């Protein structure tokens, strides 16, 4: 399993989700829910508690790395995102499956997902820079072959944002899993491949420049690994 990492840009810092983020995650998730229609965002204290617990369980199971998104304008948590569906192609089992890693602990393919931001952080460049930081780490540090993304078929805004990253639409998975508001949802699937990353990165940096940001993607391994035990 890759070590938990902190990814820092000019607008946002992605910190491994941990116990100390609980209160601010609750505030971010419940302050204004008007834009969360097709995205699962925990809606009360009990749901945020479970959300954090699951993130820590997934870390322990080598299934995902969840981040709290910190807006560097005020140092507050404004949402969450994660690396999930980590695939290890040389783990000695076929097909590859969650929880089975190879000796390097470095994934061969990942998904970026479970992303949400409170309204005041939307359209500020925070999400764009977070994607740049994560994609840069995935392709340039882990050297993955593929990054996957997906969105509810009804979520036009998310589809546009994913396509603007330079990702390719792969198709629709019907009745993919429960919808955030109940029932079942269909998901549009997308991917970005290693050989496509250079051009995609240039486009992302150009878009960030519109937010008066010099996009510099840096990553540092955390000194203290977050506890895997939830209080």
């Amino acid at each position: 399993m890759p070590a938990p990492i902190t990814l820092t840009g000019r607008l946002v810092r992605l910190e491994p989700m941990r116990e100390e983020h609980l209160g601010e995650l609750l505030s971010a998730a419940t302050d204004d829910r008007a834009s969360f229609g097709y995205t699962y965002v925990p809606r009360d204290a009990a749901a945020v508690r479970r959300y954090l617990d699951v993130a820590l369980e997934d870390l322990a199971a080598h299934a995902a790395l969840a981040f709290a998104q910190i807006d560097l304008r005020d140092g507050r948590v404004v949402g969450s995102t994660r690396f999930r569906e980590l695939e290890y192609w040389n783990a000695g089992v076929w097909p590859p499956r969650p929880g089975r890693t190879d000796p390097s602990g470095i994934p061969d393919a990942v998904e970026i997902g479970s992303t949400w931001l409170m309204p005041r952080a939307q359209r500020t460049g925070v999400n764009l820079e977070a994607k740049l930081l994560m994609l840069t780490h995935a392709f340039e540090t882990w050297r993955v072959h593929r990054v996957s993304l997906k969105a509810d078929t009804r979520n036009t805004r998310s589809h546009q944002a994913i396509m603007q990253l330079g990702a390719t639409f792969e198709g629709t998975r019907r009745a993919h899993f429960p919808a955030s508001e109940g029932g079942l949802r269909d998901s549009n699937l997308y991917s970005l491949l290693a050989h496509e990353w250079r051009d995609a990165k240039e486009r992302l940096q150009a878009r960030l420049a519109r937010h008066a940001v010099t996009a510099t993607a840096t990553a540092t391994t955390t000194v203290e690994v977050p506890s895997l035990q939830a209080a």
Side-chain angles (χ1 to χ4, degrees), residues 81-94:
T81 189
R82 67 191 66 193
F83 286 120
R84 45 179 294 161
E85 302 292 335
L86 287 80
E87 298 179 18
Y88 301 87
W89 295 353
N90 299 301
V93 295
W94 190 260

Side-chain angles (χ1 to χ4, degrees), residues 17 25 28 67-70 76-81 116-118:
M17 194 185 296
L25 279 169
F67 298 99
Q69 300 198 67
I70 313 297
R76 302 284 295 179
V77 174
V78 291
S80 180
T81 189
W116 58 271
L117 284 171
M118 63 188 303

Side-chain angles (χ1 to χ4, degrees), residues 136-150:
T136 299
H137 188 79
F139 284 120
E140 298 181 15
T141 299
W142 288 342
R143 298 192 178 279
V144 301
H145 302 286
R146 183 191 72 248
V147 172
S148 300
L149 305 103
K150 62 175 178 278

Side-chain angles (χ1 to χ4, degrees), residues 32-187:
D32 179 355
R33 298 183 57 85
S35 62
F36 296 157
Y38 300 122
T39 302
Y40 175 74
V41 180
R43 62 176 54 253
D44 55 31
V48 173
R49 172 76 266 172
R50 179 57 181 159
Y51 192 75
L52 176 60
D53 290 346
V54 169
L56 298 177
E57 291 167 7
D58 284 348
L59 178 63
H62 301 176
L65 294 174
F67 298 99
Q69 300 198 67
I70 313 297
D71 189 333
L72 293 180
R73 294 174 298 179
D74 59 10
R76 302 284 295 179
V77 174
V78 291
S80 180
T81 189
R82 67 191 66 193
F83 286 120
R84 45 179 294 161
E85 302 292 335
L86 287 80
E87 298 179 18
Y88 301 87
W89 295 353
N90 299 301
V93 295
W94 190 260
R97 63 198 67 172
R100 297 297 296 266
T101 66
D102 61 47
S104 73
I106 303 300
D108 296 286
V110 298
E111 178 181 300
I112 293 176
S114 300
T115 300
W116 58 271
L117 284 171
M118 63 188 303
R120 75 168 180 84
Q122 296 172 14
R123 301 186 183 278
T124 63
V126 165
N127 180 59
L128 190 62
E129 188 177 54
K131 291 296 191 296
L132 174 61
L133 290 165
M134 295 176 77
L135 288 165
T136 299
H137 188 79
F139 284 120
E140 298 181 15
T141 299
W142 288 342
R143 298 192 178 279
V144 301
H145 302 286
R146 183 191 72 248
V147 172
S148 300
L149 305 103
K150 62 175 178 278
D152 190 310
T153 55
R154 301 166 296 173
N155 194 338
T156 303
R157 183 173 172 181
S158 288
H159 303 319
Q160 293 173 343
I162 292 171
M163 293 297 289
Q164 288 175 347
L165 295 174
T168 296
F169 173 64
E170 294 185 331
T172 300
R173 181 168 294 175
R174 299 179 298 164
H176 188 199
F177 53 71
S180 60
E181 79 283 12
L184 297 177
R185 68 170 249 189
D186 299 334
S187 297

Side-chain angles (χ1 to χ4, degrees), residues 6-26:
T6 295
L7 302 174
T8 304
R10 299 294 184 91
L11 297 174
V12 65
R13 182 173 63 252
L14 305 181
E15 296 181 356
M17 194 185 296
R18 52 185 180 265
E19 192 71 29
E20 67 190 62
H21 295 130
L22 183 63
E24 290 188 12
L25 279 169
L26 177 60

